[in-house]
Amino acid sequence: MTNAVDLLPANLQNTLHQVVDRVNLGNGAIRAILLSTAEGVPLGRVYADANTTLNEEILASIESTWAPANKQFPLLNMGKEVKTVTAIYDHGTVFHVYQAPIVVTILVGVHANLGAIRSTAIPLLKEVLEPLCTTLLNSLAPARDWQEADPSYPQQGYYQ
């Protein structure tokens, strides 16, 4: 079970593999989980099978498409904070789950049990990734000393 991007700690990768295995027992048919930032920077990938042959260009494209699409949803009157998008294709289904500042993309097979993905995989992934999201959000926050030294600077940011 190889990862194309190795920015995730080994224990997190192992936990993600356990989530994939658990969901696939319920016919979830997860092929891969891609983790990236909202800007499309890849953080890691977990494949259900070490012999998975997924096109690298397509995976990179999938990882980088959420940020522009996410900003278009309010313009289409689809709500201000869309958290999950499901796209069904002839060759499988793609779930994009936004958990600031991480985008989790789940690629599943044609005959996947989509209910298992929505009711089991997504909640488990949110729980597993919560510490990573918290750490990233804290690292993106302005330093307290600097903010207290200059309170005239308004706190603004992409993730707030």
Side-chain angles (χ1 to χ4, degrees), residues 81-158:
E81 292 192 32
V82 174
K83 298 290 184 185
T84 305
V85 174
T86 306
I88 301 173
Y89 300 99
D90 291 337
H91 60 278
T93 302
V94 177
F95 289 89
H96 283 294
V97 181
Y98 181 62
Q99 183 176 355
I102 303 266
V103 175
V104 180
T105 303
I106 307 167
L107 306 175
V108 300
V110 177
H111 301 293
N113 179 348
L114 302 183
I117 303 298
R118 293 197 55 87
S119 67
T120 305
I122 292 174
L124 283 173
L125 289 168
K126 285 184 176 183
E127 183 179 332
V128 165
L129 295 171
E130 184 62 36
L132 176 64
C133 294
T134 301
T135 300
L136 289 173
L137 284 173
N138 288 340
S139 71
L140 295 169
R144 276 193 185 271
D145 296 337
W146 180 72
Q147 196 174 19
E148 290 171 359
D150 187 8
S152 63
Y153 184 77
Q155 185 174 2
Q156 297 177 357
Y158 184 78

Side-chain angles (χ1 to χ4, degrees), residues 33-102:
I33 295 177
L34 315 175
L35 299 176
S36 61
T37 65
E39 291 84 15
V41 177
L43 298 174
R45 297 179 183 164
V46 174
Y47 298 102
D49 182 13
N51 300 322
T52 300
T53 55
L54 299 173
N55 187 316
E56 180 63 32
E57 290 179 23
I58 292 173
L59 294 178
S61 174
I62 289 172
E63 289 170 330
S64 65
T65 57
W66 175 268
N70 187 32
K71 294 189 181 7
Q72 299 304 314
F73 292 132
L75 300 174
L76 298 170
N77 293 324
M78 295 179 76
K80 292 183 180 181
E81 292 192 32
V82 174
K83 298 290 184 185
T84 305
V85 174
T86 306
I88 301 173
Y89 300 99
D90 291 337
H91 60 278
T93 302
V94 177
F95 289 89
H96 283 294
V97 181
Y98 181 62
Q99 183 176 355
I102 303 266

